[in-house]
């Protein structure tokens, strides 16, 4: 369906009406995902204590797992291998002769430095804003006293966003913000990236918060800390590894 959507939106004869229908159909699984996530939350486990686990040695088991892991890793690396091969090929895959013309053209481009700095600026802004929003949304769901409906609304938004094709999101932003002050700015790129990639960081942060020992927050309240102080002094330090992972994502 994603390929059909691509053909309808960017084919030789674009048909946005048909593409819109396909996009809406692709959103249907998000309805089931909202219910599924609500069901899985009932089985969330909070860790009261942690202890190291020593796995028994098993050559057959370890060998099978190593082979399976190697196959998965090889498949992932194969995708990135193409990225490094294509720049040194005359025209992939029709003329596979080796050439350095593409590399030379890039390094002699006068806009290379500005393109690189712009990409880094957009990436850093996306990481900072996305990390803050993902952490805030996870706190609302996992550590706040807001009504259950509000928490489900955040999860539902995350699930729906996760199923929106990037092309549909880009065209939606194009139609929604054309003629506004955001048009032609870095801000719309950052906003689009944050929305498109929000679901995974939100789930990462929520999982980390829901697995924390609930007695930490209870103890903090008994000692007179407010909810904000508890978040800053207790929750955030223990969630710091996940926060860094979200920032990197």
């Amino acid at each position: 369906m994603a390929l059909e959507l691509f053909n309808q939106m960017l084919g030789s004869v674009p048909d946005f009406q048909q593409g819109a229908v396909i996009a809406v159909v692709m959103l249907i699984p998000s309805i089931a995902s909202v219910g599924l996530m609500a069901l899985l939350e009932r089985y969330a486990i909070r860790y009261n204590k942690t202890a190291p686990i020593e796995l028994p040695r098993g050559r057959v088991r370890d060998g099978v797992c190593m082979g399976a892991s190697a196959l998965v890793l090889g498949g992932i690396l194969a995708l990135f291998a193409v990225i490094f091969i294509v720049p040194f090929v005359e025209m992939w895959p029709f003329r596979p002769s080796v050439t350095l013309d593409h590399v030379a053209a890039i390094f002699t481009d006068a806009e290379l430095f500005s393109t690189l700095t712009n990409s880094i600026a957009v990436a850093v802004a996306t990481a900072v804003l996305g990390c803050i929003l993902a952490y805030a949304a996870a706190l609302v769901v996992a550590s706040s006293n807001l009504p259950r409906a509000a928490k489900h609304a955040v999860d539902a938004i995350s699930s729906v966003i996760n199923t929106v094709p990037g092309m549909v999101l880009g065209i939606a932003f194009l139609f929604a913000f054309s003629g506004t002050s955001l048009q032609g700015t870095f801000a719309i790129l950052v906003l689009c990236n944050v929305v498109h990639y929000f679901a995974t960081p939100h789930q990462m942060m929520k999982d980390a918060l829901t697995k924390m020992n609930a007695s930490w927050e209870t103890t903090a309240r008994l000692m007179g800390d407010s909810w904000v102080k508890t978040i800053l002094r207790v929750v955030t330090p223990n969630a710091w590894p996940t926060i860094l992972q979200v920032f990197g994502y």
Side-chain angles (χ1 to χ4, degrees):
M1 292 184 67
L3 180 60
E4 182 63 25
L5 175 65
F6 184 88
N7 291 332
Q8 294 295 336
M9 291 292 191
L10 296 179
S12 56
V13 181
D15 188 347
F16 291 106
Q17 291 82 359
Q18 185 69 18
V21 173
I22 298 174
V24 171
V25 172
M26 293 180 69
L27 294 179
I28 294 178
S30 65
I31 301 175
S33 68
V34 173
L36 179 61
M37 293 305 299
L39 177 63
L40 293 177
E41 285 180 1
R42 300 179 182 179
Y43 301 97
I45 299 175
R46 288 184 179 268
Y47 296 119
N48 294 322
K49 60 180 180 179
T50 58
I53 299 176
E54 295 185 3
L55 293 177
R57 293 182 178 273
R59 292 185 178 181
V60 176
R61 179 204 61 203
D62 294 344
V64 172
C65 292
M66 183 182 69
S69 299
L71 288 176
V72 174
L73 182 60
I76 295 174
L77 292 178
L79 299 176
F80 291 96
V82 176
I83 299 176
F84 291 98
I85 293 174
V86 169
F88 300 98
V89 174
E90 184 176 355
M91 180 181 291
W92 180 270
F94 305 106
R95 293 201 297 269
S97 56
V98 179
T99 180
L100 295 177
D101 293 343
H102 304 308
V103 178
I106 288 295
F107 283 99
T108 56
D109 192 343
E111 298 182 356
L112 174 62
F113 183 75
S114 62
T115 301
L116 180 61
T117 53
N118 291 344
S119 299
I120 294 175
V122 171
V124 172
T126 301
V128 173
L129 180 60
C131 190
I132 293 174
L133 291 179
Y135 188 36
L139 288 173
V140 168
V141 175
S143 301
S144 72
N145 295 323
L146 292 178
R148 185 180 297 272
K151 298 180 179 181
H152 285 331
V154 175
D155 280 337
I157 292 173
S158 173
S159 298
V160 171
I161 288 175
N162 195 33
T163 58
V164 176
M167 186 189 310
V168 176
L169 184 65
I171 294 176
F173 271 62
L174 176 65
F175 290 158
F177 295 105
S178 292
T180 66
S181 58
L182 288 177
Q183 182 177 355
T185 64
F186 282 158
I188 193 172
L189 297 178
V190 173
L191 184 61
C192 189
N193 285 333
V194 170
V195 172
H196 186 44
Y197 296 107
F198 173 77
T200 298
H202 169 66
Q203 191 64 42
M204 292 167 61
M205 287 304 321
K206 189 178 73 169
D207 288 344
L209 295 179
T210 53
K211 291 177 181 179
M212 287 185 183
N213 194 333
S215 63
W216 294 348
E217 299 178 30
T218 303
T219 303
R221 287 196 296 269
L222 292 175
M223 296 179 65
D225 283 354
S226 64
W227 184 78
V228 175
K229 283 186 177 181
T230 302
I231 296 301
L232 294 177
R233 296 171 58 181
V234 179
V235 176
T236 300
N238 285 280
W240 193 244
T242 306
I243 293 175
L244 292 178
Q245 291 177 359
V246 168
F247 182 86
Y249 180 89

